[in-house]
Amino acid sequence: MTQDSIATGRTARGPWDEYLDTAGPLLQAMGDQVHRLIGELDEVRRDGATVYLAGNGGSASAASHLAQDLLKGTTAEQNPPLRAIALTDNLSMLTAYANDCGYERVFVEPLRLMARPGDRLLVISCSGTSPNVVAAARWAKEAGLRVIAVTAGTGGILRDLADAEVNAPTKDVGMAEAMHSMIFHFVTQYLRDNSGNPRHSHQG
């Protein structure tokens, strides 16, 4: 080991370098989709609407975290509130619907009782095929809500249901979840600091 490598705490190129080499191009490729997501969420805020979020497993945690960030983390003096509700967060509600209606309905049932015209559904699923998330997206489409899908790989069924998609172009679930987390933090910061930027507007 050289003196330079000791001083910097680095050795020869290894797995960490390979990870960084993979992550950078993935994030770069997602830029336009990320700005479209910003546009969708900025419209939710300006319209006084609500974005509902859903996911399973790690994506459930991501939905909960993002909902908190959108509600609290985008707050600034010049910004109206961005109403965000994670459908994953009420354990009693989830288990009641799972018991009475089946797990595939745990997001549909509260969504159909709370959602109003102009609201959005943001679903997070690396596979894009989780039955309960797909069911919620289908219900939202039929009810006239715009659907935002955050996916990975091929995008699965959600790709065809989504009005806007943010897709991490990798089949590696761990890498995809890392990309999603970085994107969500960027979106939160951008919405906090750049409300009303014309670039936010979605198309179609």
Side-chain angles (χ1 to χ4, degrees), residues 52-61 63 87-90 93-95 97-99 101-112 121-141 147-148 157-158 161:
Y52 295 92
L53 300 93
N56 294 290
S59 294
S61 294
L87 298 171
T88 56
D89 283 1
N90 188 322
M93 181 183 70
L94 271 175
T95 54
Y97 281 126
N99 184 67
C101 306
Y103 193 64
E104 290 187 13
R105 302 285 296 180
V106 294
F107 300 136
V108 170
E109 293 302 319
L111 189 64
R112 72 179 183 84
L121 173 66
L122 191 158
V123 286
I124 308 169
S125 172
C126 289
S127 70
T129 60
S130 299
N132 55 1
V133 171
V134 170
R138 285 190 170 132
W139 181 90
K141 290 289 288 185
V147 175
I148 306 164
I157 300 169
L158 289 179
L161 295 172

Side-chain angles (χ1 to χ4, degrees), residues 41-42 44-45 49 51 67 70-72 74-75 80-84 191:
L41 294 173
D42 203 26
V44 169
R45 175 166 59 185
V51 57
L70 292 177
L71 182 63
K72 181 177 182 295
T74 64
T75 301
L82 202 171
R83 294 180 175 85
L191 286 168

Side-chain angles (χ1 to χ4, degrees), residues 18-31 169 179:
E18 294 173 6
Y19 191 85
L20 294 178
D21 289 345
T22 301
L26 289 176
L27 287 169
Q28 189 70 34
M30 300 165 71
M179 300 299 98

Side-chain angles (χ1 to χ4, degrees), residues 30-66:
M30 300 165 71
D32 288 343
Q33 295 177 341
V34 171
H35 279 91
R36 188 172 183 185
L37 171 59
I38 290 169
E40 293 280 350
L41 294 173
D42 203 26
E43 284 194 9
V44 169
R45 175 166 59 185
R46 287 189 283 108
D47 293 345
T50 301
V51 57
Y52 295 92
L53 300 93
N56 294 290
S59 294
S61 294
S64 180
H65 190 165
L66 180 57

Side-chain angles (χ1 to χ4, degrees), residues 140-169:
K141 290 289 288 185
E142 292 171 0
L145 274 64
R146 288 182 65 81
V147 175
I148 306 164
V150 181
T151 65
T154 65
I157 300 169
L158 289 179
R159 172 163 292 175
D160 295 327
L161 295 172
D163 296 289
E165 182 188 16
V166 178
N167 176 263

Side-chain angles (χ1 to χ4, degrees), residues 164-181:
E165 182 188 16
V166 178
N167 176 263
T170 175
K171 295 180 180 179
D172 184 321
V173 172
M175 178 65 75
E177 289 181 345
M179 300 299 98
H180 293 169
S181 180

